[in-house]
Amino acid sequence: MHEAIEDLQESGAAGDGGLRDRLVDAGVELVNTEGVQALSLREIARRAGVSHGAPRRYFPTHLDLLSAIARRGFAELAVRVEAEDRESAAPRERIALLARVYLDYAGTRRGMYELMFRHDLLESGRLGLRETSLPLFARLTALVTRVRPAAADPTVLAGALWANLHGIAQLRHWGSLRLATGGDDPAPFLAAALDAHLGPAEPAP
């Protein structure tokens, strides 16, 4: 009873949208500073300054709240891509730029990156999380189509390139890339991945 009264007071003080945003904001800060393992409902509620039962008013399950946090990550990545992409550049150059932004995001927002691609979140379909990554993949596929117009299936080719980028990001984080190759600078691995999937770049005039 006491907890229910607290929840109503918290809701009235902040407004439904305000408290919901506070919970997501707290989760975003938590995952960026302490990693995905720190995202318990209790800790998110504590960071937001509400009772541990308050999140249930807006997020019926833990997956709902985690999905809302992960959506922020996809939105941030999309903003970074939009800020860096140049439509005047050649398609292959734009793919390289998109890939660099992706790898940089994976390195600088490690906790969020892990959350965004958690299998259980994507499989749950909560808040349409799986669909939030589709515009970025559609952009990649469109650019791949322009670079390799004769490709049998540009979507598969774009998917293979994306998988390669994801592998570079993961192996670099785990330290396996340095262990196996002696280096973890993503630039040469990215260049090799682009050559493998798109063919060698044309020499500059």
Side-chain angles (χ1 to χ4, degrees), residues 163-178:
N164 204 159
L165 296 176
H166 194 75
I168 292 171
Q170 292 288 61
L171 292 173
R172 185 184 182 206
H173 173 67
W174 294 331
S176 303
L177 206 56
R178 175 177 290 279

Side-chain angles (χ1 to χ4, degrees), residues 10-149:
E10 289 158 355
S11 177
D16 283 356
L19 181 50
R20 186 185 191 282
D21 287 344
R22 275 169 54 196
L23 290 165
V24 178
D25 289 343
V28 170
E29 179 183 3
L30 189 60
V31 76
N32 284 335
T33 56
E34 298 190 26
V36 69
Q37 72 284 348
L39 289 175
S40 68
L41 281 173
R42 184 177 293 273
E43 181 58 18
I44 292 171
R46 189 188 72 79
R47 293 286 185 106
V50 298
S51 69
H52 68 267
R56 293 197 301 269
R57 292 178 54 83
Y58 311 96
F59 304 100
T61 70
H62 195 193
L63 285 179
D64 285 298
L65 179 50
L66 294 183
S67 296
I69 296 167
R71 282 179 67 91
R72 290 277 189 91
F74 280 113
E76 182 184 20
L77 177 57
V79 167
R80 290 193 185 193
V81 169
E82 286 293 339
E84 297 294 332
D85 194 9
R86 299 187 302 277
E87 292 190 4
S88 60
R92 184 190 173 97
E93 183 181 346
R94 292 178 65 189
I95 292 173
L97 185 148
L98 188 156
R100 287 194 295 270
V101 171
Y102 184 87
L103 291 175
D104 180 72
Y105 189 86
T108 59
R109 289 284 191 271
R110 187 64 213 174
M112 181 64 84
Y113 179 79
E114 289 184 359
L115 182 67
M116 288 160 60
F117 293 103
R118 259 182 52 168
H119 177 75
D120 57 339
L121 294 190
L122 294 172
E123 283 297 312
S124 73
R126 300 289 184 178
L127 307 183
L129 185 61
R130 186 198 303 269
E131 287 71 26
T132 61
S133 66
L134 295 181
L136 185 59
F137 183 69
R139 182 191 297 246
L140 175 62
T141 302
L143 292 171
V144 167
T145 301
R146 293 173 62 187
V147 175
R148 294 281 304 276

Side-chain angles (χ1 to χ4, degrees), residues 1-8:
M1 180 67 176
H2 179 66
E3 182 178 297
I5 293 173
E6 283 185 345
D7 289 348
L8 288 172

